[in-house]
Amino acid sequence: MWMCTVRPDGTPHVTPVWFVFLSGAWWIGVDGGSVKVRNIGRSPWVSLALEDGRWPVVAEGRARVHRAPFPAAVTAAFTEKYAWDAAAVRRPGEERLLIEVPVRRWLLDGVAH
């Protein structure tokens, strides 16, 4: 999936992310020092788009950053989907975070829902 956040100068920052969708919210695993986290700290509005161009799905919402301990259902979903621990630190000295994006609006087939 692709995640779009907004840089301080108002330009978009689009990156691929690892995610799970659970109970109406997208969950994204990130390193604490990432540009995504800094951008969300200034402006929490994000867009998420699945990479399949044949069946476009875009979701918009207000992101919330979570620090450990993470919800057990979310970490279990990451383990099931990717076979890795979403809470495991990837880079020495970095905190692992989860970004939750409850869906405010869906854009499907060019129509907002």
Side-chain angles (χ1 to χ4, degrees):
M1 178 170 63
W2 294 90
M3 179 179 201
C4 183
T5 59
V6 180
R7 293 184 179 104
D9 67 0
T11 60
H13 176 256
V14 180
T15 57
V17 293
W18 299 96
F19 73 94
V20 296
F21 185 76
L22 195 62
S23 301
W26 300 92
W27 291 85
I28 298 112
V30 297
D31 290 326
S34 72
V35 172
K36 292 179 281 299
V37 171
R38 291 193 304 270
N39 288 346
I40 288 168
R42 286 184 292 274
S43 176
W45 294 105
V46 301
S47 291
L48 304 164
L50 292 176
E51 60 185 311
D52 184 349
R54 289 182 50 216
W55 306 104
V57 174
V58 177
E60 296 176 346
R62 186 178 175 99
R64 298 181 205 139
V65 177
H66 293 265
R67 290 180 159 67
F70 302 129
V74 175
T75 56
F78 270 99
T79 300
E80 182 178 330
K81 184 174 183 179
Y82 297 112
W84 50 260
D85 181 0
V89 174
R90 307 265 187 270
R91 296 180 181 154
E94 284 273 353
E95 179 181 23
R96 195 70 180 157
L97 305 172
L98 287 178
I99 297 171
E100 176 190 12
V101 182
V103 177
R104 178 180 155 265
R105 182 167 69 163
W106 292 99
L107 302 171
L108 307 168
D109 296 324
V111 179
H113 298 273

